[in-house]
């Protein structure tokens, strides 16, 4: 059962393509869903006009760099980078049409990650990016907004040596099982805890959980998916506050901002039902970042959740 596959190997299972020891979740462009996503971001910018600047970061997934254009054509999958650029063009076009005074700032992080695509920035057995992928994206974002951050040498790291993720669970592929991932997280030099809202109460949790008991070691980042997160850096006293509107890709991103803002807030739009403008005004938030992986921008469920956020 654990015998290693030999020779060239590839397989497609329910929209997942396995090549060697790596699995890719394939993306199929749906114009109407993507257009709805773009309009949500613009509507949020209109709602937050005069309160906060909205930024939009669409994170490519591993197949954008791991598969050639010829292979995408063979598989019938869409060019993910081209879709991201289409999303940004639509958002930039819709802002003046909607009367947004402070336009959405689109962040082509796919260009940054492409420069590091030969590094371990995506898992092979899971659909998320790694801590290193989130690190590169966070530095690009912080450079854009002009916030300082620690050098890489300032971080200690924590590692789970063995991780078999969602793509393995979906496919049960033997090649993936024999070549598990590992999870490496950067430990903030100043913040070790955040507050989450779960089961109707606010709870303290580790920013990086070094004692994840389940096999899903991606839960190390921000203690997994929750409705609401808040991290306070007591060494910063400038009143700076950011809100991240995210799905699970944001979990690895939150810890990379806590050394740059006094307050980092995050909401998972799949679960949160608050008033966006009222929350931003109450917390003094002047920066709002939509952070979504490419798959989420074209999913009926995720786009529907985003629409409820601004309805």
């Amino acid at each position: 059962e654990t015998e290693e596959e030999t020779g060239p190997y590839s397989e497609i299972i329910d929209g997942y393509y396995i090549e060697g020891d790596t699995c890719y979740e394939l993306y199929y462009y749906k114009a109407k869903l993507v257009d709805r996503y773009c309009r949500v971001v613009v509507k949020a910018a209109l709602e937050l006009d005069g309160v906060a600047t909205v930024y939009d970061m669409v994170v490519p997934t591993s197949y954008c760099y791991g598969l050639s254009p010829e292979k995408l054509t063979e598989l019938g999958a869409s060019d993910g980078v081209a879709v991201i650029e289409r999303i940004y063009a639509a958002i930039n076009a819709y802002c003046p049409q909607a009367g947004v005074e402070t336009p959405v700032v689109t962040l082509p992080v796919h260009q940054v990650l492409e420069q590091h695509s030969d590094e371990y920035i995506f898992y092979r057995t899971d659909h998320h990016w790694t801590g290193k992928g989130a690190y590169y994206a966070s530095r690009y974002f912080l450079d854009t907004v002009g916030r300082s951050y620690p050098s890489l040498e300032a971080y200690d790291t924590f590692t789970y040596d063995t991780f078999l993720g969602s793509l393995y669970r979906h496919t049960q592929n033997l090649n993936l099982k024999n070549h598990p991932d590992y999870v490496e997280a950067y430990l903030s030099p100043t913040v070790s805890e955040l507050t989450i809202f779960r089961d109707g109460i606010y709870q303290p949790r580790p920013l990086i959980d070094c004692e994840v008991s389940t096999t899903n070691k991606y839960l190390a980042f921000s203690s997994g998916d929750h409705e609401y997160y808040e991290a306070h850096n007591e060494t910063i006293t400038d009143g700076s506050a950011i809100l991240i509107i995210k799905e699970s890709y944001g979990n690895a991103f939150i810890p990379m901002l806590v050394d740059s803002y006094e307050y980092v807030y995050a909401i998972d739009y799949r679960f949160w039902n608050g008033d966006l403008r009222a929350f931003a005004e109450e917390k003094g938030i002047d920066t709002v970042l939509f952070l979504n992986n490419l798959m989420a921008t074209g999913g009926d469920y995720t786009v529907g959740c985003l629409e409820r956020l601004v309805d």
Side-chain angles (χ1 to χ4, degrees), residues 38 82-97 106:
C38 297
V83 173
I84 293 172
E85 292 175 347
R86 192 173 301 163
I87 288 171
Y88 290 159
I91 289 173
N92 292 332
Y94 289 158
C95 278
Q97 294 175 15
T106 53

Side-chain angles (χ1 to χ4, degrees), residues 136-167:
Y136 286 129
S138 70
R139 271 40 196 167
Y140 167 60
F141 171 74
L142 291 169
D143 284 339
T144 300
V145 298
R147 301 293 303 181
S148 60
Y149 48 81
S151 67
L152 189 59
E153 293 71 30
Y155 291 93
D156 289 330
T157 60
F158 176 82
T159 303
Y160 285 106
D161 292 328
T162 302
F163 171 46
L164 287 170
S166 59
L167 302 181

